[in-house]
Amino acid sequence: MRLILQVILFLHCGFLILGAQDGFSSYHEDSELLLAPPGALRYGLYGFTNPAAAALFGSKVPDLLFTWQGGHDINSMPNRWGAFFGARNLGFGVVERRFDEDGSLLPGRKVTDYRIASSFGTDIIAFGSTFGWSTGDDGLLGRGNILRYGVLHRPLPWLTFGGHATITTSGPNAQQIVGELALRPLMDERLTIFGDFALRDGQRIGDAAWSAGLVAEPLPGFRLSGRYFDTEAFSLGLGVSFGHLGFESQAHFDADQDHAFNTYAVRLGAYDRTTLGKLIPVRKYVELSLLGGIKYQRNRFFDDSKTLYDLLRMIEIATEDPSVAGMVINASGAAIGREMLWELRQALQEFRAAGKRVLIFIDRAGMNEYHFASVADRVVLDPVGGIALPGFRAGRTYYKHTLAKIGVGFQELRYLKYKSALESFARDEMSEADREQRQAIVDDFYAIAREEICAVRPLSYERFDSLVNKVTVFMPADALRHDLVDTLARWEGLKHMVTALEGGPVRYVSPSSLEEYHLPDDDRWGRRPRIAIIYALGICAMDQGIKARSLVNYVEAAADDDNIKAVVLRVDSPGGDAMASDIVAEALRECARRKPVIVSQGSVAASGGYWLSMYADAIVAAPMTVTGSIGVIGGWAYDNGLKDKLGFSTDVVSRGDNAALGFGFSVLGLGVPDSSLNKEQLARVQRSFSGLYENFVAKVAEGRDTSAAAIEAVAQGRVWTGRDGLANGLVDEIGGLQSAIRIAMRKAGLSDRNDIRIIQWPTPPLFNLPALFGLGSGAEEPLVQEQLLEHLRFLLEHNGEAMPVLPDAFVELVE
């Protein structure tokens, strides 16, 4: 909508009926207010000269600039002043000039120029238009209404060129064309060389006005400029930024090299680079609340949820910020999954390794929450809180007898030892193979938590085991006595601890106030290289879960975009439909032929979720990721008395021996076949499933550059933790989303993390309507009967199909 309004304003300016006054401020007059042409340094005058410059202003905070021109003394009466306002794609400026009778600049009568600029564009090319008008004392040289159209093009990091054209309807010199060129030999803001020219209507090219010069920024926000004009006049300038406040001064010399006048400027508003924080260090602590959950993507409107990428990036920025000495984290109410907590923990480990402190407050913590909090220098527990360390478990609910009671029969189409996704419908307890793999998973989860907790707390493995098995629940005094926490206090008490640790008070800042989030992007011209994070979340299906039908379009778009240098696919999926998994995997394989593709596996990336991963250049998993489950399974649900109980009857005519297979009655939107599969049909199903499984194994072997026999040894539907996956070759590296981004950078030949732009697909929805009206988030835990109905619905929709899918119980492992 904002862009539409800007385009309307831009076009509207083109149809304004201009006044009959003549003339406008000269090129030299406008140049006196600038250290350099608009495209060479920051944002010009926010469109007052070249309107396209307004599109370069990217800050959410608007800017105000006040300039004045006087004699040798800063306190002398200004004979010219200007005020300018800049916001995203919009600018407004007013300049007042005082004139003598002959039009020379002297204190006397005055004329005031007003200009409104609107612009639009990208970081490569921008367009803008300005509408201007003037007011002044009677008898002065008229300055008529003007239209000005501008363009700036930054095709390369070291090159900018552009210009603008000014038009009036009458009067002398009614048109003017200005061109500009700037070069950055060091590829950044440290040195800019520029030149420009202005050609009036009827003027010969050889008589055009021009200037050339340079701007040096040896320190962030400290700028020196020199500019030479065709009249043999020149100017020397100095600019100093203090963040949200800045000052500039120029000394102007005439053709005889005599000092003619000075120009001064004060800027207030948007943040600019500065050396002040480095010269006057201020110790900061980032204050972070983890209340609520973490999402992968937030809705575009009315959603202040935290996202995994944003939190990880914030910790990375704070790690690199020399002014940040530590972080205090309120983990009360942090409803965050095990794997995401581990990724945050790893980021905080890097933060601590940089010599910075972490204090974490908890009130009620289980295994996962305490594992996360243990990374801190100081773990602080609420005086009436508690910690529970029961270990880990993995169980599931079985529906075999429930189905029998309601009259639904079920045939488990299982031909692989560990592929247990549908045991819930066929059995009333775990198979030995399922029990084996589940026990291995929880054992590994326990071992990982114990290793990482004992590495940072004064606990041996034996003592940790004893606390888990013999104490389990810890009241505050118990937690303190057993060295699980360092002190008991409320959240408000952490600041007193920080003061004691730092030997004095510190400044507390929100994550959003960190300098990196506010730095202007004029340090690099042109389009910055991008890495695309594409999320494949939920069950593998064409139009649900990962929504493969649309997800493949995002993969193809990333492959086709030359400015996207690498793709990171974040997989959090238990699998599902083989076709949905395969069309996305094939698109990723094609993308990987053109640029690096890295997979970051979340809490679960198994079966069809692993199918999505297999063609990546590298697979990154957390140690607690559930991965693998290479195999397929299916089931056949049929009527075994339910139709009679409900009073339904069915009849059918068919042509073909198997045409009636799957026909039955429908209830609650579920189609239930009338009959089970016979021996011959079961044999055909087995052949079909075996073929799909062999194809799955072959594809994984190709993607992992190994033999089918090597994959078969870890397949058969067996699930693994990420740590086991690293050992058996299914995973390349232990890490999280940030690790995957760093690998993508390395493989794409990118080195500067701050120079890269991250884009995230799919595009999230506009808003969550139920949550917006207080009707819940839509993520409440379903009732048992709702779970059964949903399981049956999915099963019947894929009745008899071979599916690479993982049991829900692995997706929802609990403590």
Side-chain angles (χ1 to χ4, degrees), residues 33 80 82 109 211 223 402 519 542-543 648 736:
L33 302 177
R80 186 181 182 198
R109 289 179 294 173
S211 77
R223 303 177 179 102
T402 305
L519 287 175
M542 295 300 292
D543 300 299
F648 289 104

Side-chain angles (χ1 to χ4, degrees), residues 335-452:
I336 304 171
R338 176 186 303 106
E339 192 277 335
M340 286 188 177
L341 282 173
W342 182 86
E343 291 198 47
L344 294 177
R345 190 181 193 278
Q346 290 301 106
L348 290 172
Q349 275 191 329
E350 294 182 8
F351 183 82
R352 286 191 61 193
K356 307 188 179 194
R357 290 191 173 98
V358 176
L359 288 81
I360 297 180
F361 170 80
I362 54 177
D363 49 14
R364 296 182 177 92
M367 288 290 295
N368 296 325
E369 293 78 15
Y370 181 73
H371 180 197
F372 162 72
S374 67
V375 74
D377 294 273
R378 296 289 187 276
V379 180
V380 182
L381 177 65
D382 190 277
V384 293
I387 297 174
L389 302 179
F392 295 93
R393 66 173 183 253
R396 66 194 305 183
T397 301
Y398 295 86
Y399 305 120
K400 176 181 178 179
H401 301 301
T402 305
L403 294 178
K405 286 184 177 181
I406 64 176
V408 175
F410 183 77
Q411 292 173 295
E412 185 184 21
L413 308 177
R414 175 178 176 177
Y415 309 104
L416 300 172
K417 179 178 180 181
Y418 295 101
K419 199 66 179 175
S420 61
L422 300 180
E423 280 192 5
S424 290
F425 299 99
R427 301 177 61 91
D428 53 16
E429 63 178 2
M430 294 180 192
S431 66
E432 288 305 313
D434 195 32
R435 187 178 301 277
E436 175 191 346
Q437 65 181 346
R438 287 172 181 274
Q439 188 64 57
I441 290 285
V442 295
D443 287 348
D444 211 15
F445 279 13
Y446 183 89
I448 293 165
R450 181 177 63 179
E451 289 171 15
E452 296 190 349

Side-chain angles (χ1 to χ4, degrees), residues 35 41-42 64-68 74 221-224 237-250 263-269 272-274 276:
L35 296 180
L41 179 64
R42 289 179 53 77
L64 292 171
L65 178 69
F66 183 74
T67 68
W68 69 98
I74 193 172
F222 183 80
R223 303 177 179 102
L224 301 169
L238 169 67
V240 181
S241 168
F242 296 95
H244 293 286
L245 179 67
F247 299 94
E248 288 181 3
S249 175
Q250 286 190 79
T263 302
Y264 308 96
V266 178
R267 184 194 60 81
L268 179 65
D272 187 14
R273 291 181 296 275
T274 180
L276 181 64

Side-chain angles (χ1 to χ4, degrees), residues 79-134:
N79 51 36
R80 186 181 182 198
W81 62 266
F84 307 92
F85 170 83
R88 283 188 173 181
N89 300 302
L90 297 171
F92 174 75
V94 54
V95 173
E96 181 181 287
R97 311 161 196 266
R98 297 181 180 273
F99 290 87
D100 197 5
E101 294 295 338
D102 61 359
S104 60
L105 279 169
L106 288 171
R109 289 179 294 173
K110 64 185 180 181
V111 63
T112 306
D113 298 328
Y114 302 89
R115 294 177 193 171
I116 299 175
S118 175
S119 63
F120 62 94
T122 68
D123 44 11
I124 291 181
I125 190 166
F127 302 91
S129 68
T130 294
F131 174 64
W133 70 97
S134 300

Side-chain angles (χ1 to χ4, degrees), residues 671-788:
V672 183
D674 280 342
S675 61
S676 62
L677 299 177
N678 60 37
K679 186 175 181 179
E680 181 182 347
Q681 290 165 338
L682 287 171
R684 288 202 299 267
V685 166
Q686 183 172 1
R687 289 194 296 271
S688 173
F689 279 33
S690 297
L692 182 58
Y693 172 65
E694 291 172 5
N695 187 39
F696 191 178
V697 170
K699 285 176 177 285
V700 174
E702 179 185 359
R704 301 300 295 160
D705 192 24
T706 187
S707 66
I711 298 301
E712 176 66 30
V714 296
Q716 287 285 318
R718 175 80 185 248
V719 293
W720 308 91
T721 62
R723 188 162 73 167
D724 285 339
L726 179 66
N728 63 31
L730 293 179
V731 169
D732 296 297
E733 188 168 317
I734 295 298
L737 185 59
Q738 287 289 61
S739 300
I741 292 172
R742 291 167 186 167
I743 294 171
M745 287 177 55
R746 186 171 66 247
K747 288 184 176 291
L750 304 173
S751 58
D752 187 352
R753 178 64 181 83
N754 295 326
D755 192 42
I756 296 167
R757 292 291 178 263
I758 299 293
I759 59 172
Q760 300 181 68
W761 288 336
T763 303
L766 292 176
F767 47 77
N768 183 335
L769 192 60
L772 185 61
F773 289 97
L775 302 177
S777 66
E780 289 80 6
E781 186 71 22
L783 300 173
V784 172
Q785 58 267 34
E786 293 173 338
Q787 289 179 317
L788 175 59

Side-chain angles (χ1 to χ4, degrees), residues 290 292-298 306-312 315 334-348 368-369 371-373 452 535 537 570-572 600-604 621-626 735-738 760:
L290 294 179
I294 295 178
K295 300 163 65 174
Y296 281 116
Q297 292 179 286
R298 66 173 63 88
K306 302 173 188 67
T307 68
L308 178 64
Y309 171 76
D310 286 348
L311 285 174
L312 294 174
I315 297 172
I336 304 171
R338 176 186 303 106
E339 192 277 335
M340 286 188 177
L341 282 173
W342 182 86
E343 291 198 47
L344 294 177
R345 190 181 193 278
Q346 290 301 106
L348 290 172
N368 296 325
E369 293 78 15
H371 180 197
F372 162 72
E452 296 190 349
Y535 295 101
L537 311 176
R570 176 69 175 203
V571 179
D572 217 326
S600 167
Q601 296 186 335
S603 61
V604 57
M624 293 180 171
T625 295
V626 176
L737 185 59
Q738 287 289 61
Q760 300 181 68

